[in-house]
Amino acid sequence: MTLFSTIGFAAPWLLLGLLALPLLWILLRAVPPAPIRRVFPGVALLLGLKDEDIQSDKTPWWLLLLRALVMACLIVGLAGPIVNPAPKGQSLSKLLVILEGSWADASDWAAQQRKALEVVEQSRNQGRPVAFLQLTASQDDLVFSASSEVAPAIKAAEPNAWLPKENWKGQFEPLGDFDTHWLASPLDWSGRTQLARELLRHGSVEVAMSRSSPLGLLPLRTTAQGIEIAAVRMTAGQAQVVAVDILGLDPSGVERRLQRADIQFAAQALRATTAVDLPLEMRNRISRLAVVTHKSAAAVRLTDDRIRRPEIAILTGETSDRESLILFAPDHYLTQALSPVAELIEGTLDDVILANPDAIILADVAKIASKEALVDWVVDGGTLVRFAGPRLAAVQFEAQARDPLLPVKLRAGGRTVGGAMSWGAPKTLQSFEVDTPFYGLPTPDEVTVTAQVLAEPGPDLPPHVIARLSDGTPLVTRRQLGQGQVVLFHVTANTEWSNLPISGLFVAMLERLSVVGSAANFEPDSLAGSTWQLVEQLDGAGKLMQVDDRAGIAGAELAQAAISPKTPAGLYQGNDRRWARNILSDDSQLSPALWPDEVRLLGQDQPRSQRLGAWFLALALGLLAADVMAALWISGRLRGGVLGAIFGALLINIFPQSASAQTPPAQAIAASRAVVLAYVETQDARQDEISRAGLLGLSQALFQRTSIEPAAPIGLSLARDELSFFPFLYWPITLGQQPLSSEELRKLNRYLKGGGMILFDTRDGDIARVGQTTKEGRVLQQLAAGLNLPPLAPIVPDHVLTRSFYLLQDFPGRYASRDIWVEAPQNASVQVEGMPFRNLNDGVTPVVIGGNDWAAAWAVDDAGAPLLPVGRGRAGERQREIALRFGVNLIMHALTGNYKSDQVHVPELLRRLGE
């Protein structure tokens, strides 16, 4: 490639001006420079004399050359020089720019967009109309227009978590002839060759392929010791190690990295697996897996109920050892059915409740010792499954009272419907009704019932029956109790009254009741009759996004549907189950793209066009300034004052920030116009987002409940930002925070001295009392070592924080610990007669320290809905409300100081005024 083939001009005819430079040289050389004037008295003697020989001096050659260069740079700059211009050998005028925009493009999306914008810019230089098509996005009719209208669409485009689905069909015929520039991923997909041939019918097609090499995670497999992770890649040829982060929720509900695993690909292998040992508790917390160095939806693996082994307790009414009758034991078939898919917990009922399992099963238990504790456990969200038997049938039930641990009233005594001592035949099962959790499950004819306990008939019985026998009598009943449920099988858990426990239907019914989870949960047959709703969607880069309410999708239809805009990858909710739909399946392969021979494949390292006009104009301006200084110097006018002014102007132009150093930043201006709550930025992006969302929720609560109208919260860098504009700082303590520099300590001490308040949140549940044992607590001690903090003490019941707006005695966040630390009172022993409170802390306590993770409890999304769960059921919502009230009290205290302490004097003042 020659020099002239890599340089072009937007207006080459302007280069004709270079031909005038010799004429300019002649004119400048003919004009002498201005003479130097010197004041000398002796010159008066020369007045009146005439010199016949007058000879003018010539302009120095170097000054002529400088002025010629100024003109040359000006002409070349106006001509618009371009390095690596687009070729102009195209015979067609219109250009179609295509971006695929699938998950395979996500890791290289920024480079793809930049290249597309360069192509559009080149088309603008050529005067060609342009159209833009993203193959994974919904598309209106294509229209060729100016590049200025196409560029915003390219900038706004985002990759999606599905492959192209032929959204181009029927759009090209009305467009006539056009050329195509296709920025493609290296991954092959169905319909790519068909699209290329369709485009070739309209003109030339050139393809620039991405440099990325797609890689994805395959379905997880559970093992006795943990999980097995599998991955697939597109190209082999060399060994590769892929790091995978195993992410899950910590006890406070915040997603963190639980472990990192390495998957090693052999040189010629396209697939690789690795086994990871994880304890049950940690495995049950896994929410997703993500490849560390690869950003795409295929490199993220969402998890659902299939990976989680529930904890289930089975209790029976047996009190003696009956080894010889093990097949008749009430818990034998339950243990056999549940042990492969669940962790079984042993112990007394009191021990089991303390362990807080997912479900408790009572097999023919008539008398419950800790009945109130079990009721509270169910109300808080537990699932209690009971099986009938001789003991339960023998209980005499009161006519008026209803047992809260039974879904319906029962008749005393059992009912025998088949066998040697009865006239009837064993009963089979009715088909499950539509509004029951068992709808869609088959009812085999070989499943029969010979005995059962009967429910007391009544108008409130039908809504609680979810399975019936062929004669219409209840087989399974259910009732909601608080946030949980109580389920009763009206037969035994062994084969004494029916053969249901030894059928495949038995485990399937337990699955539908959310007692156990299984991989079979999401097979088309088991999904019949269920409805699923998308709650979180995976974007092309592998990030989970909350979605608005969407219409439900039938489970059987969803199981057969591919990943598409209508059924995208993400988390789906159905009753009490969550279903993760991911990009790749067990049989997925990543194949490289193949192109028709007529397609022109561009190299991966295409030279980038660059416009140089501005640089030549800037050089002309600089040479012109040098010419002015040279002319002043020759004429003798370049003195100290003039020289200083010129250098001052140059310094302002070269260092413009020095002239605006006194201008306050935009966020400081915003903070001075309204109350702004701020948080200290950490090295944890997830925590920073929770802090922002938490202060947003607190700001909304202040706006709705008080006269304070806060602006949007702001994240602050201690090294960069000024703190004095913000009355309140929320500082979450994370393990990655570094010790403070001397400048940061000076800034913080000045902030505290000036009346600011800092809430230090160790987010450790206050387990170690101000963090003297936890890792977060030790980080807090290091950070606060150089701060001028006052003596601290646990908050007392009559502190002003307990009544600055709401009357509070507890200060929960996501944790419910009451202990927080504030400035120790200086007059703690002074008690004025007639005052219900002591007048503590004349000013604002500069620091509040705790570990209840308040930002997580305050956090809301952009729609104002709670972002993270708090507690269980209604108790959790009450805890969130108290956390918001504590936040309101904090801000009111930061803004009004001891105002509420002063109010306690009002009764005494009124009494004195009355006297």
Side-chain angles (χ1 to χ4, degrees), residues 576-598:
D576 296 327
R577 294 184 292 171
R578 289 173 72 85
W579 181 6
R581 300 191 74 235
N582 291 284
I583 301 296
L584 302 180
S585 58
D586 281 318
D587 56 352
S588 295
Q589 294 182 353
L590 305 181
S591 303
L594 299 176
W595 300 92
D597 295 337
E598 299 84 353

Side-chain angles (χ1 to χ4, degrees), residues 317 364-368 386 391-392 395 403:
D364 194 19
V365 177
K367 295 182 179 180
I368 301 175
R386 302 189 64 175
R391 297 178 186 82
L392 190 62
V395 175
D403 189 342

Side-chain angles (χ1 to χ4, degrees), residues 247-258 281 284-288 536 546 578 684 686-687 689-690 763-765 813-815 851-857 859 866-872 879-880:
L247 305 170
L249 303 180
D250 66 7
S252 64
V254 178
E255 188 177 67
R256 300 183 185 277
R257 189 180 75 188
L258 304 179
E281 177 66 21
N284 286 347
R285 293 181 182 273
I286 297 177
S287 59
R288 63 188 176 97
E536 291 184 275
Q546 297 288 335
R578 289 173 72 85
D684 188 337
R686 171 68 175 169
Q687 179 56 47
E689 179 60 25
I690 292 176
R763 305 176 302 110
D764 55 5
R814 292 198 78 186
Y815 297 103
N852 290 345
D853 200 4
W854 286 285
L867 190 63
L868 298 170
V870 174
R872 276 190 173 185
Q879 182 174 329
R880 189 192 305 277

Side-chain angles (χ1 to χ4, degrees), residues 797-799 802-803 807 831-832 835-839 900 904:
D798 52 356
H799 193 279
T802 64
R803 60 189 188 280
L807 296 178
Q831 179 77 33
V832 180
M835 290 177 56
F837 302 101
R838 287 171 291 169
N839 187 16
K900 283 293 179 124
V904 300

Side-chain angles (χ1 to χ4, degrees), residues 361-532:
I361 299 178
L362 302 182
D364 194 19
V365 177
K367 295 182 179 180
I368 301 175
S370 304
K371 191 171 185 177
E372 293 184 0
L374 185 57
V375 170
D376 293 339
W377 177 82
V378 176
V379 169
D380 287 340
T383 295
L384 174 65
V385 179
R386 302 189 64 175
F387 285 85
R391 297 178 186 82
L392 190 62
V395 175
Q396 297 294 326
F397 298 97
E398 298 181 11
Q400 302 299 326
R402 187 184 68 80
D403 189 342
L405 296 180
L406 286 173
V408 294
K409 292 182 180 180
L410 300 179
R411 287 184 176 182
R415 173 203 182 199
T416 302
V417 294
M421 301 301 294
S422 67
W423 293 99
K427 302 299 180 183
T428 58
L429 277 62
Q430 279 189 8
S431 297
F432 298 116
E433 299 176 5
V434 176
D435 57 348
T436 67
F438 307 136
Y439 175 70
L441 293 179
T443 54
D445 294 335
E446 59 269 17
V447 176
T448 59
V449 174
T450 58
Q452 67 180 135
V453 293
L454 291 175
E456 190 71 35
D460 61 341
L461 176 61
H464 302 296
V465 179
I466 57 177
R468 298 178 184 272
L469 296 180
S470 56
D471 61 356
T473 55
L475 173 65
V476 184
T477 53
R478 180 175 69 169
R479 180 186 292 271
Q480 293 295 126
L481 183 59
Q483 300 295 318
Q485 61 177 342
V486 178
V487 180
L488 173 64
F489 283 76
H490 290 241
V491 295
T492 57
N494 56 19
T495 57
E496 189 174 353
W497 286 10
S498 90
N499 62 356
L500 175 64
I502 60 175
S503 69
L505 178 62
F506 186 60
V507 176
M509 294 176 72
L510 293 177
E511 292 171 1
R512 289 292 183 93
L513 292 170
S514 300
V515 176
V516 297
S518 168
N521 274 357
F522 306 110
E523 296 298 327
D525 293 340
S526 64
L527 289 169
S530 62
T531 302
W532 298 82

Side-chain angles (χ1 to χ4, degrees), residues 629-881:
M629 295 184 63
L632 291 175
W633 175 68
I634 292 175
S635 63
R637 299 176 183 175
L638 192 61
R639 296 185 177 88
V642 177
L643 187 61
I646 293 175
F647 274 106
L650 289 175
L651 288 176
I652 291 177
N653 288 325
I654 296 174
F655 304 104
Q657 64 272 22
S658 62
S660 59
Q662 303 302 321
T663 303
Q667 74 172 21
I669 297 176
S672 62
R673 292 176 176 173
V675 174
V676 178
L677 308 184
Y679 61 92
V680 175
E681 295 177 343
T682 66
Q683 297 178 351
D684 188 337
R686 171 68 175 169
Q687 179 56 47
D688 290 345
E689 179 60 25
I690 292 176
S691 299
R692 188 201 66 81
L695 294 187
L696 177 62
L698 181 56
S699 297
Q700 292 178 0
L702 289 166
F703 183 84
Q704 295 167 359
R705 306 181 186 193
T706 72
S707 60
I708 304 173
E709 299 182 359
I714 292 177
L716 299 180
S717 168
L718 296 179
R720 179 187 68 242
D721 298 318
E722 176 58 43
L723 308 181
S724 58
F725 298 101
F726 307 95
F728 174 82
L729 285 183
Y730 175 74
W731 192 335
I733 304 301
T734 61
L735 298 182
Q737 295 185 26
Q738 300 298 321
L740 300 175
S741 65
S742 57
E743 177 61 22
E744 291 171 342
L745 288 172
R746 184 192 63 79
K747 189 180 296 185
L748 283 169
N749 286 326
R750 185 179 63 186
Y751 173 76
L752 295 174
K753 185 178 180 180
M757 173 190 287
I758 302 178
L759 172 59
F760 291 100
D761 192 350
T762 56
R763 305 176 302 110
D764 55 5
D766 211 22
I767 297 172
R769 307 290 181 184
V770 199
Q772 295 191 6
T773 300
T774 64
K775 295 180 180 179
E776 291 82 357
R778 288 192 288 271
V779 172
L780 174 58
Q781 290 178 342
Q782 295 176 359
L783 293 174
L787 295 178
N788 297 328
L789 298 181
L792 301 177
I795 192 169
V796 291
D798 52 356
H799 193 279
V800 68
L801 264 178
T802 64
R803 60 189 188 280
S804 57
F805 193 83
Y806 290 103
L807 296 178
L808 299 176
Q809 291 301 321
D810 295 308
F811 317 101
R814 292 198 78 186
Y815 297 103
S817 172
R818 184 190 178 281
D819 296 327
I820 62 173
W821 290 59
V822 295
E823 181 180 3
Q826 302 299 320
N827 52 347
S829 60
V830 178
Q831 179 77 33
V832 180
E833 183 180 356
M835 290 177 56
F837 302 101
R838 287 171 291 169
N839 187 16
L840 304 178
N841 297 81
D842 185 61
V844 177
T845 175
V847 293
V848 178
I849 301 177
N852 290 345
D853 200 4
W854 286 285
W858 301 334
V860 297
D861 57 20
D862 293 335
L867 190 63
L868 298 170
V870 174
R872 276 190 173 185
R874 296 180 181 176
E877 292 307 311
R878 177 62 180 171
Q879 182 174 329
R880 189 192 305 277
E881 171 61 24

Side-chain angles (χ1 to χ4, degrees), residues 259-300:
Q259 194 168 330
R260 176 169 288 182
D262 290 334
I263 302 178
Q264 297 185 356
F265 286 90
Q268 301 303 321
L270 293 178
R271 293 187 174 222
T273 60
T274 185
V276 181
D277 293 340
L278 288 173
L280 174 65
E281 177 66 21
M282 186 175 293
R283 190 178 77 178
N284 286 347
R285 293 181 182 273
I286 297 177
S287 59
R288 63 188 176 97
L289 282 73
V291 178
V292 176
T293 58
H294 202 83
K295 185 177 68 172
S296 78
V300 172

